Amino acid sequence: MNNSYEIVGRGPRKVICLHGWFGAAKGWGPLVDSLDRQSYTYAFMDYRGCGASQWFKGDYTMDEIAADTLALADRLGWSRFSLVGHSMGGMAVQRVLVEAPERVEKLVGLTPVPACGVPFDDAGWAFFSSAAESRDSRYGIIDLTTGNRLTKTWIDQMVDFSLANATREAFAAYLVAWAKTDFANRVRGNETPVLVVVGAHDPALSEAVMRDTWLQWYPNAALEVMANAGHYPMFETPIALATSIERFLGA
């Protein structure tokens, strides 16, 4: 099975981008319009059960995403590449790094899940688990993680996209994957250059969480806080985000 993907750009620097729980290869919003297509080639991959790969069955695990990412790199003929991961994809890029450290140049985590997963209390787990079946729960999660400050029109569009771009089976299973997987002991001390970007209005995957996880584990990690963003800076602050990503990758 070959995961679907979208290519943006034709430059010499190679980057694979892994989407979040509500996302897909085509779900990176206006960020894509601000990317440097002469200097970089970006490959945006769909996970099994998502986007144009949503009818491909799988185990829906971090190990599977990492294996599929490396298979995509092989298909593209990329021996070395950088990785950008949003949210759940932020955990996934770390799993790729664990499996093939010699192939990864740099990592960018956008409001990323740490390699230890995310703890939930019973109420929080019930709320997030219900999102596989409940449109209202998906709306509530997006509203919560962007600071209860953005237009209903945009949140509705994000919910509609997620419903159209993932099977319910995959969506439910990926929650378990990003929340309950823990391989933090395998990334501690890794010297790969890392950029972590968080939104100032993201109450869950916050600056404090990143300082306690990513910045503790990666000695060459830097942290940037987007002042006018929550959990979706690719939509909320796309130009500033593209600038930060490419300043780091091109350094």
Side-chain angles (χ1 to χ4, degrees):
M1 191 218 87
N2 292 325
N3 294 61
S4 53
Y5 62 95
E6 299 281 326
I7 292 289
V8 173
R10 58 179 186 276
R13 294 186 173 123
K14 313 303 186 185
V15 187
I16 297 177
C17 301
L18 301 182
H19 62 79
W21 190 34
F22 282 75
K26 292 185 176 181
W28 290 76
L31 169 70
V32 175
D33 298 329
S34 294
L35 296 175
D36 179 353
R37 301 176 184 219
Q38 302 304 313
S39 300
Y40 298 88
T41 303
Y42 292 91
F44 296 84
M45 189 184 83
D46 284 313
Y47 310 144
R48 301 187 195 201
C50 298
S53 293
Q54 66 181 288
W55 308 120
F56 297 152
K57 296 287 188 177
D59 297 325
Y60 313 122
T61 63
M62 286 296 141
D63 285 349
E64 183 177 81
I65 293 173
D68 288 345
T69 301
L70 291 169
L72 173 59
D74 291 342
R75 287 164 58 200
L76 295 171
W78 295 0
S79 59
R80 292 268 290 168
F81 49 87
S82 293
L83 291 157
V84 176
H86 172 242
S87 192
M88 177 177 81
M91 173 180 267
V93 297
Q94 296 175 87
R95 192 69 199 181
V96 177
L97 177 64
V98 165
E99 298 301 327
E102 73 286 353
R103 300 185 67 175
V104 177
E105 295 177 353
K106 296 183 179 182
L107 282 189
V108 179
L110 309 179
T111 62
V113 175
C116 61
V118 176
F120 281 91
D121 60 23
D122 290 345
W125 185 252
F127 176 42
F128 273 67
S129 296
S130 69
E133 300 295 336
S134 169
R135 190 184 195 285
D136 288 345
S137 294
R138 296 192 192 207
Y139 185 102
I141 290 168
I142 296 171
D143 192 25
L144 170 70
T145 58
T146 52
N148 306 112
R149 50 185 254 289
L150 299 178
T151 170
K152 179 180 184 297
T153 302
W154 175 77
I155 299 174
D156 280 334
Q157 290 170 353
M158 294 291 285
V159 172
D160 289 343
F161 182 89
S162 75
L163 288 166
N165 281 278
T167 65
R168 283 168 170 77
E169 176 189 15
F171 192 85
Y174 283 130
L175 171 61
V176 177
W178 64 257
K180 298 187 179 294
T181 300
D182 183 352
F183 54 95
N185 63 323
R186 299 186 65 185
V187 304
R188 286 187 178 93
N190 189 294
E191 295 184 353
T192 300
V194 172
L195 174 65
V196 180
V197 180
V198 296
H201 298 281
D202 186 343
L205 294 171
S206 63
E207 177 181 359
V209 169
M210 300 308 145
R211 291 193 182 280
D212 287 342
T213 55
W214 283 74
L215 269 67
Q216 293 295 318
W217 302 335
Y218 294 97
N220 293 318
L223 176 67
E224 182 169 349
V225 180
M226 289 282 167
N228 197 36
H231 192 62
Y232 295 90
M234 65 279 288
F235 289 91
E236 298 169 85
T237 52
I239 299 170
L241 180 60
T243 303
S244 293
I245 290 171
E246 293 181 342
R247 182 188 298 124
F248 171 73
L249 293 179

